[in-house]
Structure formats: C-alpha cells, structure tokens
Amino acid sequence: MAETTVLVRYFAAAEEAAGREEERLVVSDATVAGLREALAERYGDAMRLVLRNGSFLVDGVVSRDPAAVLGERVDVLPPFAGG
C-alpha cells in the first residue's frame, strides 16, 4: 500500500492519549490497520487502550475492516458507554 498523508482527528480519550485534537500524519501503510499500528507506536499504551475497542470514521463512514483504504480524514473515537 502506498504512503499517504491523512488528517487524523481525535475525540475524548483518544484526544487525551494523543495530547492534541488533530494532526496530519504520513502513514506508510494507508489502511485502517496501518494507521492503527502507527498510532499505537506513536502514542503508546494510552492509545492502544483506546484503539482496542474504539472505532475509526474514514471520511465520515465507520470502518471496521482493517484492510480499508484511508481517505482524506480519519476520526478516532473511543468506545462510548450508554446508548
């Protein structure tokens, strides 16, 4: 998969783990799995905890497929309680 630059926006616990609301990242594997790995490596255990049960919105669409190709924007959402 080709390298790409993506706008990553963080919400709630994901924002706390990253220490920022958003950033542009260059990802060498432009898939959901590649981004997950890059974020875990970059931000450590706090982000790994968020990613374990959180979700990704790729250009506004929930993506649970690790092979899904990244778009221009990815929102990283922690798991939410309630409903």
Side-chain angles (χ1 to χ4, degrees):
M1 184 57 52
E3 185 175 272
T4 192
T5 301
V6 62
L7 174 63
V8 182
R9 300 187 317 167
Y10 304 102
F11 294 87
E15 180 182 339
E16 288 180 33
R20 64 192 73 227
E21 292 181 6
E22 66 180 36
E23 65 184 321
R24 290 205 174 274
L25 286 180
V26 176
V27 183
S28 59
D29 175 2
T31 64
V32 168
L35 178 60
R36 181 183 299 273
E37 183 178 317
L39 292 176
E41 183 176 312
R42 186 175 180 100
Y43 295 113
D45 290 339
M47 185 62 77
R48 284 184 186 91
L49 185 61
V50 170
L51 298 174
R52 185 174 304 134
N53 294 310
S55 59
F56 291 95
L57 296 181
V58 178
D59 291 336
V61 178
V62 174
S63 180
R64 291 183 172 82
D65 179 3
V69 176
L70 300 177
E72 293 181 19
R73 185 187 78 222
V74 177
D75 297 338
V76 180
L77 306 171
F80 292 98

Coordinates of all heavy atoms in Angstrom, one line a residue:
M1 N 0.9 -1.2 0.0 CA 0.0 0.0 0.0 C 0.9 1.2 0.0 O 1.9 1.3 0.6 CB -0.9 -0.1 1.2 CG -1.9 1.1 1.4 SD -3.1 1.3 0.1 CE -3.8 -0.2 -0.2
A2 N 0.5 2.3 -0.7 CA 1.2 3.5 -0.8 C 1.2 4.4 0.4 O 0.2 4.3 1.1 CB 0.7 4.3 -2.0
E3 N 2.2 5.1 0.6 CA 2.3 6.1 1.7 C 1.3 7.2 1.4 O 1.1 7.6 0.2 CB 3.7 6.7 1.7 CG 3.9 7.6 2.9 CD 5.4 8.0 3.0 OE1 6.2 7.3 3.6 OE2 5.7 9.0 2.3
T4 N 0.7 7.8 2.4 CA -0.3 8.8 2.2 C -0.3 9.8 3.5 O 0.1 9.3 4.5 CB -1.7 8.3 2.0 OG1 -2.6 9.4 1.6 CG2 -2.3 7.7 3.2
T5 N -0.7 11.0 3.3 CA -0.9 11.9 4.4 C -2.4 12.0 4.7 O -3.2 12.2 3.8 CB -0.4 13.3 4.0 OG1 1.0 13.2 3.7 CG2 -0.5 14.3 5.2
V6 N -2.7 11.9 5.9 CA -4.1 11.9 6.3 C -4.3 12.8 7.5 O -3.4 12.9 8.4 CB -4.6 10.4 6.7 CG1 -3.9 9.9 7.8 CG2 -6.1 10.4 6.9
L7 N -5.5 13.5 7.5 CA -5.8 14.3 8.7 C -6.5 13.4 9.7 O -7.5 12.7 9.4 CB -6.8 15.4 8.3 CG -7.4 16.3 9.5 CD1 -6.3 17.0 10.2 CD2 -8.5 17.2 9.0
V8 N -5.9 13.3 10.9 CA -6.4 12.4 11.9 C -7.0 13.4 13.0 O -6.3 14.2 13.5 CB -5.4 11.5 12.5 CG1 -6.0 10.6 13.6 CG2 -4.7 10.7 11.4
R9 N -8.3 13.2 13.3 CA -8.9 13.9 14.4 C -9.2 13.0 15.6 O -9.7 11.9 15.4 CB -10.2 14.6 13.9 CG -10.0 15.5 12.7 CD -11.2 16.3 12.3 NE -12.4 15.5 12.2 CZ -13.6 16.1 12.1 NH1 -13.7 17.4 12.0 NH2 -14.7 15.3 12.1
Y10 N -8.9 13.5 16.8 CA -9.1 12.7 18.0 C -10.2 13.2 18.8 O -10.4 14.4 19.0 CB -7.8 12.7 18.8 CG -6.6 12.3 18.0 CD1 -5.7 13.2 17.5 CD2 -6.3 10.9 17.8 CE1 -4.5 12.8 16.8 CE2 -5.2 10.5 17.1 CZ -4.3 11.5 16.6 OH -3.2 11.1 15.9
F11 N -11.0 12.3 19.4 CA -12.1 12.7 20.3 C -12.0 12.0 21.7 O -11.6 10.9 21.8 CB -13.4 12.3 19.6 CG -13.6 13.1 18.3 CD1 -13.1 12.7 17.1 CD2 -14.3 14.3 18.4 CE1 -13.3 13.4 16.0 CE2 -14.5 15.1 17.2 CZ -14.0 14.6 16.0
A12 N -12.4 12.8 22.7 CA -12.4 12.3 24.1 C -11.1 11.6 24.5 O -10.1 12.2 24.5 CB -13.7 11.4 24.2
A13 N -11.2 10.3 24.9 CA -10.0 9.6 25.4 C -8.9 9.6 24.3 O -7.7 9.6 24.7 CB -10.4 8.3 25.9
A14 N -9.3 9.5 23.1 CA -8.3 9.5 22.0 C -7.5 10.8 22.0 O -6.3 10.8 21.8 CB -8.9 9.2 20.7
E15 N -8.2 11.9 22.2 CA -7.6 13.2 22.3 C -6.6 13.3 23.4 O -5.5 13.8 23.3 CB -8.6 14.3 22.4 CG -8.0 15.7 22.4 CD -9.1 16.8 22.6 OE1 -10.3 16.5 22.2 OE2 -8.7 17.9 23.0
E16 N -7.0 12.8 24.6 CA -6.2 12.7 25.8 C -4.9 11.9 25.5 O -3.8 12.3 25.9 CB -6.9 12.2 27.0 CG -8.0 13.1 27.5 CD -8.7 12.5 28.7 OE1 -8.1 11.8 29.5 OE2 -9.9 12.8 28.8
A17 N -5.1 10.8 24.9 CA -3.9 9.9 24.6 C -2.9 10.6 23.6 O -1.7 10.4 23.8 CB -4.4 8.6 24.0
A18 N -3.5 11.3 22.6 CA -2.6 11.9 21.6 C -2.1 13.3 22.1 O -1.1 13.7 21.6 CB -3.4 12.1 20.3
G19 N -2.8 13.9 23.0 CA -2.4 15.2 23.5 C -2.7 16.3 22.5 O -2.1 17.4 22.6
R20 N -3.6 16.1 21.7 CA -4.0 17.1 20.6 C -5.3 16.7 20.1 O -5.8 15.6 20.2 CB -2.9 17.1 19.5 CG -2.8 15.8 18.8 CD -1.6 15.8 17.8 NE -0.4 15.6 18.7 CZ 0.7 16.3 18.5 NH1 0.8 17.1 17.6 NH2 1.7 16.0 19.3
E21 N -6.0 17.7 19.4 CA -7.3 17.4 18.8 C -7.2 16.8 17.4 O -8.0 16.1 17.0 CB -8.1 18.8 18.7 CG -8.5 19.3 20.0 CD -9.3 20.6 19.9 OE1 -9.6 21.0 18.7 OE2 -9.6 21.2 20.9
E22 N -6.1 17.2 16.7 CA -5.9 16.7 15.3 C -4.5 16.9 14.9 O -3.7 17.7 15.5 CB -6.9 17.4 14.3 CG -6.6 18.8 14.1 CD -7.6 19.4 13.1 OE1 -8.8 19.0 13.1 OE2 -7.2 20.3 12.4
E23 N -4.1 16.2 13.8 CA -2.8 16.3 13.2 C -2.8 15.7 11.9 O -3.7 14.9 11.5 CB -1.7 15.7 14.1 CG -1.8 14.2 14.2 CD -0.8 13.6 15.2 OE1 0.4 14.1 15.2 OE2 -1.2 12.7 15.9
R24 N -1.9 16.1 11.0 CA -1.7 15.4 9.8 C -0.5 14.4 9.9 O 0.5 14.8 10.4 CB -1.3 16.4 8.7 CG -2.4 17.3 8.3 CD -2.3 17.9 6.9 NE -3.5 18.6 6.5 CZ -4.6 18.0 6.0 NH1 -4.6 16.8 5.8 NH2 -5.6 18.8 5.7
L25 N -0.8 13.2 9.6 CA 0.2 12.1 9.7 C 0.5 11.5 8.3 O -0.4 11.3 7.5 CB -0.3 11.0 10.6 CG -0.4 11.2 12.1 CD1 -1.0 10.0 12.7 CD2 1.0 11.5 12.6
V26 N 1.8 11.2 8.1 CA 2.2 10.4 7.0 C 2.2 9.0 7.4 O 2.8 8.6 8.4 CB 3.6 10.9 6.5 CG1 4.0 10.0 5.3 CG2 3.6 12.3 6.1
V27 N 1.4 8.2 6.7 CA 1.2 6.8 7.1 C 1.8 5.9 5.9 O 1.4 6.1 4.8 CB -0.3 6.4 7.3 CG1 -0.4 5.0 7.8 CG2 -0.8 7.4 8.4
S28 N 2.7 5.1 6.2 CA 3.3 4.2 5.2 C 2.4 3.2 4.6 O 2.5 2.8 3.5 CB 4.7 3.6 5.7 OG 4.4 2.8 6.8
D29 N 1.5 2.7 5.5 CA 0.5 1.7 5.1 C -0.8 2.4 5.2 O -1.4 2.5 6.3 CB 0.6 0.4 6.0 CG -0.5 -0.6 5.7 OD1 -1.3 -0.4 4.7 OD2 -0.6 -1.6 6.4
A30 N -1.4 2.8 4.1 CA -2.6 3.7 4.1 C -3.8 2.9 4.2 O -4.8 3.0 3.4 CB -2.6 4.5 2.8
T31 N -3.9 2.1 5.2 CA -5.1 1.3 5.6 C -5.4 1.6 7.0 O -4.6 2.1 7.8 CB -4.8 -0.2 5.4 OG1 -3.8 -0.6 6.4 CG2 -4.4 -0.6 4.0
V32 N -6.6 1.1 7.4 CA -7.0 1.3 8.8 C -6.0 0.5 9.7 O -5.6 1.1 10.8 CB -8.4 0.8 9.0 CG1 -8.8 0.6 10.5 CG2 -9.4 1.7 8.4
A33 N -5.6 -0.6 9.3 CA -4.6 -1.4 10.1 C -3.3 -0.6 10.2 O -2.7 -0.6 11.3 CB -4.4 -2.8 9.5
G34 N -2.9 -0.1 9.1 CA -1.6 0.7 9.1 C -1.7 1.9 10.0 O -0.7 2.2 10.8
L35 N -2.8 2.6 10.0 CA -3.0 3.8 10.9 C -3.0 3.3 12.4 O -2.4 3.9 13.2 CB -4.3 4.5 10.5 CG -4.6 5.7 11.4 CD1 -3.4 6.8 11.4 CD2 -5.9 6.4 11.0
R36 N -3.7 2.3 12.6 CA -3.8 1.7 14.0 C -2.4 1.4 14.5 O -2.1 1.8 15.7 CB -4.7 0.5 14.0 CG -4.8 -0.2 15.4 CD -5.6 -1.5 15.3 NE -7.0 -1.2 14.8 CZ -8.0 -0.9 15.5 NH1 -7.9 -0.8 16.8 NH2 -9.2 -0.8 15.0
E37 N -1.6 0.8 13.7 CA -0.2 0.5 14.1 C 0.6 1.7 14.4 O 1.3 1.8 15.3 CB 0.4 -0.4 13.1 CG 1.8 -0.9 13.4 CD 2.4 -1.8 12.4 OE1 1.6 -2.7 11.9 OE2 3.6 -1.6 12.0
A38 N 0.5 2.7 13.4 CA 1.2 3.9 13.6 C 0.8 4.7 14.8 O 1.7 5.2 15.5 CB 1.0 4.8 12.3
L39 N -0.5 4.8 15.1 CA -0.9 5.5 16.3 C -0.5 4.8 17.6 O -0.1 5.4 18.6 CB -2.4 5.6 16.3 CG -3.0 6.5 15.2 CD1 -4.5 6.5 15.3 CD2 -2.5 7.9 15.3
A40 N -0.5 3.5 17.6 CA -0.1 2.7 18.8 C 1.4 2.9 19.1 O 1.9 3.1 20.2 CB -0.4 1.2 18.6
E41 N 2.2 2.9 18.0 CA 3.6 3.1 18.1 C 3.9 4.6 18.5 O 4.8 4.8 19.4 CB 4.3 2.9 16.8 CG 5.8 3.0 16.8 CD 6.5 2.6 15.5 OE1 6.1 1.6 14.9 OE2 7.3 3.4 15.0
R42 N 3.2 5.5 18.0 CA 3.5 6.9 18.3 C 3.1 7.3 19.7 O 3.7 8.1 20.3 CB 2.7 7.8 17.2 CG 3.0 9.3 17.3 CD 2.2 9.9 16.1 NE 2.4 11.3 16.1 CZ 3.3 12.0 15.3 NH1 4.0 11.3 14.5 NH2 3.4 13.3 15.3
Y43 N 1.9 6.8 20.2 CA 1.4 7.3 21.4 C 1.3 6.3 22.6 O 0.9 6.6 23.7 CB 0.0 7.9 21.2 CG 0.0 9.1 20.4 CD1 -0.6 9.1 19.1 CD2 0.6 10.2 20.8 CE1 -0.5 10.2 18.3 CE2 0.7 11.4 20.0 CZ 0.1 11.3 18.7 OH 0.2 12.5 17.9
G44 N 1.7 5.0 22.3 CA 1.9 4.1 23.4 C 0.7 3.5 24.0 O -0.4 3.4 23.3
D45 N 0.8 3.0 25.2 CA -0.3 2.3 25.9 C -1.6 3.0 26.0 O -2.7 2.4 25.9 CB 0.2 1.8 27.3 CG 1.3 0.7 27.1 OD1 1.4 0.1 26.1 OD2 2.0 0.6 28.1
A46 N -1.6 4.3 26.3 CA -2.8 5.0 26.4 C -3.6 4.9 25.1 O -4.9 4.7 25.1 CB -2.6 6.5 26.8
M47 N -3.0 5.1 24.0 CA -3.7 5.0 22.7 C -4.0 3.6 22.4 O -5.1 3.3 21.8 CB -2.8 5.6 21.5 CG -3.5 5.6 20.2 SD -5.0 6.7 20.2 CE -4.3 8.3 20.1
R48 N -3.2 2.6 22.7 CA -3.6 1.2 22.5 C -4.9 0.8 23.2 O -5.7 0.1 22.7 CB -2.4 0.3 23.0 CG -1.3 0.2 22.1 CD -0.2 -0.8 22.5 NE 1.0 -0.7 21.7 CZ 2.0 0.1 21.9 NH1 2.0 0.8 23.0 NH2 3.0 0.1 21.1
L49 N -5.0 1.4 24.4 CA -6.3 1.1 25.1 C -7.5 1.7 24.4 O -8.5 1.0 24.3 CB -6.1 1.7 26.5 CG -7.3 1.5 27.5 CD1 -7.4 0.0 27.8 CD2 -7.0 2.2 28.8
V50 N -7.4 2.9 23.9 CA -8.4 3.5 23.1 C -8.7 2.7 21.9 O -9.9 2.4 21.5 CB -8.1 4.9 22.7 CG1 -9.1 5.5 21.7 CG2 -8.0 5.8 23.9
L51 N -7.7 2.3 21.2 CA -7.8 1.6 19.9 C -8.4 0.2 20.1 O -9.0 -0.4 19.1 CB -6.5 1.5 19.2 CG -5.9 2.8 18.8 CD1 -4.5 2.6 18.2 CD2 -6.8 3.6 17.8
R52 N -8.2 -0.4 21.2 CA -8.7 -1.8 21.4 C -10.2 -1.9 21.2 O -10.6 -2.9 20.6 CB -8.3 -2.2 22.9 CG -8.7 -3.7 23.2 CD -8.2 -4.1 24.5 NE -6.8 -3.9 24.7 CZ -6.2 -3.4 25.8 NH1 -6.9 -3.0 26.8 NH2 -4.9 -3.2 25.8
N53 N -11.0 -1.0 21.6 CA -12.4 -1.0 21.5 C -13.0 0.2 20.8 O -14.2 0.3 20.7 CB -13.1 -1.3 22.8 CG -12.7 -2.6 23.4 OD1 -12.8 -3.6 22.8 ND2 -12.3 -2.6 24.7
G54 N -12.2 1.1 20.4 CA -12.7 2.3 19.7 C -13.0 2.0 18.3 O -13.0 0.9 17.8
S55 N -13.3 3.1 17.5 CA -13.6 3.0 16.1 C -13.0 4.1 15.3 O -12.6 5.1 15.8 CB -15.2 2.9 16.0 OG -15.7 4.1 16.5
F56 N -13.0 3.8 14.0 CA -12.5 4.8 13.0 C -13.6 5.2 12.1 O -14.4 4.4 11.7 CB -11.4 4.2 12.2 CG -10.1 3.9 12.9 CD1 -9.9 2.6 13.4 CD2 -9.2 4.9 13.1 CE1 -8.7 2.4 14.1 CE2 -8.0 4.6 13.8 CZ -7.8 3.3 14.3
L57 N -13.7 6.5 11.9 CA -14.6 7.0 10.8 C -13.6 7.5 9.7 O -12.9 8.4 9.9 CB -15.4 8.2 11.3 CG -16.4 8.0 12.4 CD1 -17.2 9.2 12.7 CD2 -17.4 6.9 12.0
V58 N -13.7 6.8 8.5 CA -12.9 7.2 7.4 C -13.8 8.1 6.5 O -14.8 7.6 5.9 CB -12.4 6.0 6.6 CG1 -11.6 6.4 5.4 CG2 -11.5 5.1 7.6
D59 N -13.5 9.3 6.4 CA -14.3 10.3 5.6 C -15.7 10.2 6.0 O -16.6 10.2 5.2 CB -14.1 10.1 4.1 CG -12.7 10.5 3.7 OD1 -12.1 11.3 4.4 OD2 -12.2 10.0 2.6
G60 N -16.0 10.1 7.3 CA -17.3 10.1 7.9 C -18.1 8.8 7.9 O -19.2 8.7 8.3
V61 N -17.4 7.7 7.5 CA -18.1 6.4 7.4 C -17.3 5.4 8.4 O -16.1 5.3 8.3 CB -18.0 5.8 6.0 CG1 -18.6 4.4 6.0 CG2 -18.7 6.7 5.0
V62 N -18.1 4.7 9.3 CA -17.5 3.8 10.2 C -16.7 2.7 9.4 O -17.3 2.1 8.5 CB -18.5 3.2 11.1 CG1 -17.9 2.1 12.0 CG2 -19.2 4.2 12.0
S63 N -15.5 2.4 9.8 CA -14.7 1.4 9.1 C -14.2 0.4 10.2 O -13.5 0.7 11.1 CB -13.6 1.9 8.4 OG -12.8 0.9 7.8
R64 N -14.7 -0.9 10.1 CA -14.2 -1.9 10.9 C -13.3 -2.9 10.2 O -12.7 -3.8 10.8 CB -15.4 -2.7 11.5 CG -16.2 -1.8 12.5 CD -17.3 -2.6 13.1 NE -18.0 -1.8 14.2 CZ -18.9 -0.9 14.0 NH1 -19.3 -0.6 12.8 NH2 -19.4 -0.2 15.0
D65 N -13.1 -2.7 8.9 CA -12.3 -3.5 8.1 C -10.8 -3.0 8.1 O -10.5 -1.9 7.7 CB -12.7 -3.5 6.6 CG -11.9 -4.3 5.7 OD1 -11.0 -5.0 6.1 OD2 -12.2 -4.3 4.5
P66 N -9.9 -3.8 8.7 CA -8.5 -3.4 8.8 C -7.8 -3.1 7.5 O -6.9 -2.3 7.4 CB -7.8 -4.5 9.5 CG -8.8 -5.6 9.8 CD -10.1 -5.1 9.3
A67 N -8.4 -3.7 6.4 CA -7.8 -3.5 5.1 C -8.4 -2.3 4.3 O -7.9 -2.0 3.2 CB -8.0 -4.8 4.2
A68 N -9.3 -1.6 5.0 CA -10.0 -0.5 4.3 C -8.9 0.6 4.1 O -8.1 0.9 4.9 CB -11.1 0.1 5.2
V69 N -9.0 1.2 2.9 CA -8.0 2.2 2.5 C -8.4 3.6 3.1 O -9.6 3.9 3.2 CB -8.0 2.4 1.0 CG1 -7.1 3.5 0.5 CG2 -7.5 1.1 0.3
L70 N -7.5 4.3 3.6 CA -7.7 5.6 4.3 C -8.1 6.6 3.3 O -7.7 6.6 2.1 CB -6.5 6.1 5.0 CG -5.9 5.2 6.1 CD1 -4.7 5.8 6.7 CD2 -7.0 5.0 7.2
G71 N -9.0 7.5 3.7 CA -9.4 8.7 2.9 C -8.6 9.9 3.3 O -7.4 9.8 3.7
E72 N -9.2 11.1 3.1 CA -8.5 12.3 3.5 C -8.5 12.6 5.0 O -7.7 13.2 5.5 CB -9.2 13.5 2.7 CG -9.0 13.4 1.2 CD -9.6 14.6 0.5 OE1 -9.9 15.6 1.2 OE2 -9.8 14.5 -0.7
R73 N -9.6 12.1 5.7 CA -9.8 12.4 7.1 C -10.2 11.1 7.8 O -11.0 10.3 7.3 CB -10.8 13.4 7.3 CG -11.0 13.9 8.7 CD -12.2 14.8 8.9 NE -13.4 14.0 8.9 CZ -14.5 14.4 8.3 NH1 -14.6 15.4 7.6 NH2 -15.6 13.6 8.4
V74 N -9.6 10.9 9.0 CA -10.0 9.8 9.8 C -10.2 10.3 11.2 O -9.4 11.0 11.8 CB -8.9 8.7 9.9 CG1 -9.3 7.6 10.8 CG2 -8.6 8.1 8.5
D75 N -11.4 10.0 11.8 CA -11.7 10.4 13.1 C -11.5 9.1 14.0 O -11.9 8.1 13.7 CB -13.2 10.8 13.3 CG -13.5 12.1 12.5 OD1 -12.5 12.8 12.2 OD2 -14.7 12.3 12.1
V76 N -10.8 9.3 15.1 CA -10.5 8.3 16.1 C -11.4 8.5 17.3 O -11.3 9.5 18.0 CB -9.0 8.2 16.5 CG1 -8.8 7.1 17.5 CG2 -8.1 8.1 15.3
L77 N -12.3 7.5 17.5 CA -13.3 7.6 18.5 C -13.1 6.5 19.5 O -13.0 5.4 19.2 CB -14.7 7.5 17.9 CG -15.1 8.4 16.8 CD1 -16.4 8.0 16.1 CD2 -15.1 9.8 17.2
P78 N -13.2 6.9 20.8 CA -13.1 5.9 21.9 C -14.4 5.1 22.0 O -15.4 5.6 21.4 CB -12.8 6.7 23.1 CG -13.5 8.0 22.8 CD -13.3 8.2 21.4
P79 N -14.4 4.0 22.7 CA -15.7 3.4 22.9 C -16.6 4.3 23.8 O -16.1 5.0 24.6 CB -15.3 2.1 23.6 CG -14.0 2.3 24.2 CD -13.3 3.3 23.3
F80 N -17.9 4.3 23.5 CA -18.8 5.1 24.2 C -19.7 4.2 25.0 O -20.2 3.2 24.6 CB -19.6 6.0 23.3 CG -18.8 7.0 22.6 CD1 -18.4 6.9 21.3 CD2 -18.5 8.2 23.3 CE1 -17.6 7.8 20.7 CE2 -17.7 9.2 22.6 CZ -17.3 9.0 21.3
A81 N -20.0 4.6 26.3 CA -20.9 3.9 27.1 C -22.3 4.5 27.0 O -22.5 5.6 26.5 CB -20.5 4.0 28.6
G82 N -23.3 3.7 27.4 CA -24.7 4.2 27.3 C -25.3 3.9 26.0 O -24.8 3.1 25.2
G83 N -26.3 4.6 25.7 CA -27.0 4.4 24.4 C -28.4 4.7 24.6 O -29.2 4.9 23.9

